[in-house]
């Protein structure tokens, strides 16, 4: 039996499996062995959490890309200024080094 999209309909089973909800951690009785959540509420909340985590990861990657981009540009240059070198090796700048060095 298929639905209107041509996807076979799930055949309801008579099995009952005790499972742990992956969102709230409660034990529940599932009718399939692949059910992850105790109900619609947890399923929706888990989905929203996954979307949120995805957005955070995208934001972190974007920040990392922007922060490393100037360094990639500097690596390609033939000659560098002192400020550019300090940026490349990861210290702030020469003025910062001078103010923090005690000889
Ligand atoms: Zn739950």
């Amino acid at each position: 039996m298929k639905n209107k999209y041509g996807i076979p309909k799930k055949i309801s089973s008579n099995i009952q499996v005790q499972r742990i909800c992956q969102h709230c951690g409660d034990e529940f009785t599932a009718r399939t062995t692949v059910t992850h959540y105790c109900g619609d509420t947890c399923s929706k909340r888990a989905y929203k959490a996954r979307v949120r985590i995805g957005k955070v990861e995208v934001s972190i990657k974007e920040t990392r890309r922007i922060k490393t981009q100037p360094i990639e540009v500097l690596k390609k240059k033939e000659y560098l200024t002192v400020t550019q070198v300090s940026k490349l090796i990861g210290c702030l700048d020469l003025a910062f080094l001078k103010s923090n060095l005690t000889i």
Side-chain angles (χ1 to χ4, degrees), residues 21 23-26 37-39 42:
C21 175
H23 185 70
C24 68
D26 283 353
Y37 308 106
C38 63
C42 278

Side-chain angles (χ1 to χ4, degrees), residues 27-74:
E27 192 172 335
F28 67 99
T29 305
R31 302 187 85 186
T32 76
T33 55
V34 293
T35 309
H36 298 292
Y37 308 106
C38 63
D40 272 355
T41 308
C42 278
S43 176
K44 286 173 185 169
R45 284 180 182 165
Y47 171 75
K48 283 184 179 178
R50 282 199 305 274
V51 170
R52 202 178 310 128
I53 288 168
K55 284 180 181 174
V56 170
E57 281 177 2
V58 168
S59 174
I60 290 169
K61 280 181 186 172
E62 180 68 9
T63 305
R64 195 177 298 140
R65 190 185 65 78
I66 291 168
K67 281 175 88 173
T68 57
Q69 193 177 33
I71 291 172
E72 295 304 317
V73 172
L74 288 179

Side-chain angles (χ1 to χ4, degrees), residues 1-10:
M1 196 182 291
K2 292 181 178 179
N3 67 10
K4 65 180 178 179
Y5 305 109
I7 299 167
K9 278 188 175 177
K10 286 182 184 170

